[in-house]
Structures are given as C-alpha cells and as structure tokens.
Amino acid sequence: MEREYKILISGGGTGGHIFPAIAIANEIKRRHPGAKILFVGAEGRMEMERVPAAGYEIVGLPVCGFDRKNLLRNVVVLVKLFKSMHRAKAILRDFQPDVAIGVGGYASGPMLKAAQKRHIPTLIQEQNSYAGVTNKLLAARADVICVAYEGMDRFFPADKIVLTGNPVRRNLVECQLSHAEAVKKMGLDPSRKTILVVGGSLGARTLNESVAKGIDLIKEHKNEVQVVLQTGKYYDEEMRNFLVCMDAGNVLQMPFITDMDIAYRAADLVVSRAGAGAISELQLLGKPVILVPSPNVAEDHQTKNAQALVAKDAAIMVRDADARDTLAQLMMDTVADEARLASLASNIEKMALRQADSRIVDEVDKILQKG
C-alpha cells in the first residue's frame, strides 16, 4: 500500500500561475489518490478563491510585491515579508510536506525558501523565457527546475533543468467542438471572422482602450468581422456603457469568459497579453495571435516571451505603447489574410510542449521515490 504523500504547492497572483498549479495538483491526485495537497497563496489574491473552488485547501501569507515606483511603501512590504517567513515556518512544521512545489507568484518565494532551510526537497516551475528574481535566488538549492523554453541554463544550473512546458487547463485541449460548433455555441455569426481579445483573468486596460479607440474601424467591418472582448471585471461597466453608446453590434463584451475552451475554438485570431500561461495555451491550440506584452511585469518578461515567438514567426507583437494607435487596423488586416493566419497557426503549434503536467509530476515522483 502506497504511503500517504504530503505535497505543498505555493504561488499564485494571476490565472497564469493558478491554472498550472491546479493542473499539477490534479495530475498528482490522479496518480496518488491518497496524497494530501496543501496550497499556499497570498492573502487577498485570486488563488484564495480559485483554489478552494477546484477542491483544494489553501492557506494565505500576508506577502505582497515590491513597489518599484514608491520605495517608501516597501517598508510595509518588508514587514509583510518577515511575517510571511515566520508563518511559512509554522506551515511546514504543521504540514510536514514530502516536497514543496513553487509555481511563481508572491507566496512562492518565502514558502520555498523556508522549505529549503528545513531541507525539504523543492521543485520550481519557471513559466517564462526570462527567469524571475525569486526563482533565480531559489535555484541553487532547488532539486529540480521545470522550464518551458530552451536556453534557460543562462539563469539556472544546467543539471537541474528539465524542459517540461507549462501546464494548461485540461478542458482547453480536450474540447472536441469544431470551429463552426463553437461559433454557434457562443451565439456568434458564422459568416463573420471572429477575433478574440482577452487581457488575462484580470483584464488589460490597454487592450480595452485599443478596441475603444478603433471602434469606428471595427464597426466599418461589421459585415466581415466580429470581436469577442473579455474586459476583466474592473473595466466591465465602463466598456459596456461605451459599446452601447457607440452601437457596436459586432462587439460581444463580457467581464470574464468562463468557457475559454469554446472561445478559443471559435476564434480565427486571438489578441492577448504575453503571459507564459496564455502563450502555452495558444501553442497547444495552434491559434494565430497578436501579442501585446504588459509593461507592468518584473524584468519585462512578457516582451521576452513574445520575442521568443516572433523570432520563429509564430506570433505578431505590438508594443503596449503603440497598441492604442495601431492594434485595431492590424487586427482587421491580419484576420483578413488567410495565408498569414495559416502560417502563424502552423508555426506556433510547432512550439507546443504537450502533457506538461504529466512531465512535471514525473519529476515530483522521482523526488518522492528518493525520499
């Protein structure tokens, strides 16, 4: 009879961290039904809701990110970091995990650092093409570092790196709907091309404002093109009122798209931020994409993610600062170019690393077997 493993998974902050973490947990439970899994997140962040909804227990740390614009505020940040380190020690003492997994996000740093000090095996999952500061600091004492891009030995010890890819929500790749069926299911017009504009789980002001600024052009193409716009809850009311005033009948707006599997299937072209999770989804689904990297991320890693695709002609990139003036026209030109769509789709799909959750849990199992 297999002993009852205890596995701690730490991180979050955005869907790009949470969805892979849950995918890893689901694969662990599939292989080891008796395993106990505890998530550790940051208080007030979205993982505190999403993880319990997925059926897992989570505890929160009072940790938050450093403020690069107002250095004085970092006094509070340091106090919270100290409290988080203290709480992390208590969590480890009470739970006594066999392995600690870090998926990125505020809580990952103090939690894995505390685990390493107690000589608990740690696995890091670095999602981006440019490693974050926290993971670089944790790397020296990590047992395994799972990555999604080649060439990561410029950040991490080469003998610890395993190329696994990023886990994605399983329903995205398991969806069996055809493009036509997905278009129908979303209530869209099958005679029009569909552009999906999605700014991540929290929305993206730049993408919303780019659609708003280009609304006259989008309306001009109402007979050929329809736009599905996920605004994020913060911009929902503002954009809804704007679109009603502009009588933009070929723009379907919603604060959050629950059935992303259907939305992706319906899309002829996707416009997205360049987070690692979103890119991995688009690679697996072979979706033509225009990437607008967020400038508000550490080490400008989204630009580096996007450039890795552009270098292989697997995506189009627009700078955030340019998007409001150029994105709408680029969307219309690209979605009308069948050859360009086909080329982008083919090239991005070639970059996909499949079954990442299984590959990562293979590494977890190796650690458990050593113990």
Side-chain angles (χ1 to χ4, degrees):
M1 184 176 176
E2 182 182 82
R3 79 178 181 86
E4 192 177 77
Y5 293 117
K6 293 183 178 181
I7 297 162
L8 185 146
I9 302 176
S10 181
T14 66
H17 292 305
I18 297 165
F19 296 137
I22 292 172
I24 292 168
N26 289 342
E27 178 62 14
I28 291 169
K29 290 296 283 186
R30 189 187 70 78
R31 295 190 193 185
H32 308 289
K36 287 188 176 179
I37 299 175
L38 177 67
F39 279 77
V40 180
E43 291 177 350
R45 304 292 289 188
M46 64 187 294
E47 59 263 29
M48 303 306 292
E49 295 180 6
R50 295 288 173 82
V51 169
Y56 295 101
E57 180 184 355
I58 187 168
V59 294
L61 302 180
V63 66
C64 59
F66 282 94
D67 192 325
R68 292 174 173 80
K69 296 179 181 177
N70 189 335
L71 296 180
L72 288 175
R73 290 183 183 172
N74 288 323
V75 174
V76 175
V77 175
L78 290 171
V79 170
K80 289 185 174 182
L81 180 59
F82 178 79
K83 289 181 179 178
S84 295
M85 290 297 295
H86 183 73
R87 192 174 297 179
K89 292 176 186 177
I91 291 168
L92 293 173
R93 186 178 61 247
D94 295 340
F95 186 61
Q96 297 186 356
D98 295 292
V99 60
I101 301 168
V103 296
Y106 299 141
S108 188
M111 198 66 245
L112 263 71
K113 187 71 174 175
Q116 290 176 344
K117 284 184 176 180
R118 287 177 62 101
H119 304 289
I120 294 166
T122 57
L123 180 149
I124 297 170
Q125 199 237 335
E126 174 56 64
Q127 300 169 355
N128 296 293
S129 63
Y130 191 90
V133 172
T134 299
N135 279 349
K136 284 190 278 189
L137 292 172
L138 293 168
R141 296 179 67 179
D143 291 73
V144 180
I145 304 166
C146 296
V147 302
Y149 292 87
E150 296 175 350
M152 297 301 285
D153 53 351
R154 66 192 192 276
F155 304 113
F156 303 130
D159 61 336
K160 296 184 178 185
I161 294 173
V162 180
L163 184 63
T164 60
N166 289 322
V168 303
R169 292 166 282 185
R170 184 156 286 192
N171 68 313
L172 295 181
V173 292
E174 291 180 347
C175 179
Q176 297 298 312
L177 292 179
S178 67
H179 175 269
E181 289 168 340
V183 166
K184 184 178 180 181
K185 193 138 188 160
M186 290 195 72
L188 299 169
D189 184 344
S191 68
R192 300 173 182 171
K193 289 289 184 67
T194 300
I195 302 174
L196 173 64
V197 182
V198 55
S201 51
L202 301 177
R205 179 175 289 279
T206 296
L207 299 188
N208 292 329
E209 291 180 350
S210 298
V211 170
K213 190 160 185 183
I215 198 66
D216 289 335
L217 179 63
I218 292 169
K219 286 170 62 179
E220 281 177 25
H221 290 79
K222 64 182 179 182
N223 293 328
E224 310 98 53
V225 176
Q226 56 203 339
V227 175
V228 178
L229 174 63
Q230 178 184 280
T231 56
K233 65 179 181 180
Y234 300 116
Y235 313 110
D236 176 36
E237 186 176 358
E238 173 188 352
M239 282 301 296
R240 186 161 17 94
N241 292 338
F242 170 78
L243 292 168
V244 169
C245 290
M246 295 301 296
D247 191 26
N250 61 329
V251 179
L252 173 62
Q253 178 266 332
M254 55 194 78
F256 185 77
I257 300 173
T258 303
D259 298 319
M260 277 301 297
D261 53 338
I262 300 173
Y264 274 139
R265 286 296 189 288
D268 296 285
L269 173 67
V270 178
V271 179
S272 174
R273 286 304 203 188
I279 286 176
S280 294
E281 292 172 355
L282 293 161
Q283 288 171 334
L284 288 165
L285 298 173
K287 282 294 170 181
V289 63
I290 299 172
L291 295 170
V292 185
S294 170
N296 306 312
V297 293
E299 288 89 40
D300 195 26
H301 67 255
Q302 286 203 9
T303 296
K304 297 176 177 72
N305 290 347
Q307 287 170 337
L309 272 69
V310 171
K312 297 190 177 184
D313 195 30
I316 299 168
M317 186 180 84
V318 176
R319 291 175 61 247
D320 187 90
D322 300 331
R324 293 167 183 82
D325 295 326
T326 64
L327 184 57
Q329 185 67 61
L330 182 60
M331 284 161 46
M332 296 304 129
D333 292 344
T334 305
V335 81
D337 188 339
E338 292 284 358
R340 185 71 174 128
L341 291 176
S343 174
L344 288 168
S346 174
N347 291 338
I348 197 170
E349 191 169 16
K350 288 173 186 173
M351 297 182 71
L353 290 168
R354 301 185 183 279
Q355 297 182 315
D357 51 354
S358 183
R359 295 183 191 207
I360 291 169
V361 178
D362 286 345
E363 299 305 316
V364 174
D365 281 346
K366 289 175 187 177
I367 292 173
L368 294 174
Q369 287 159 14
K370 285 180 186 176

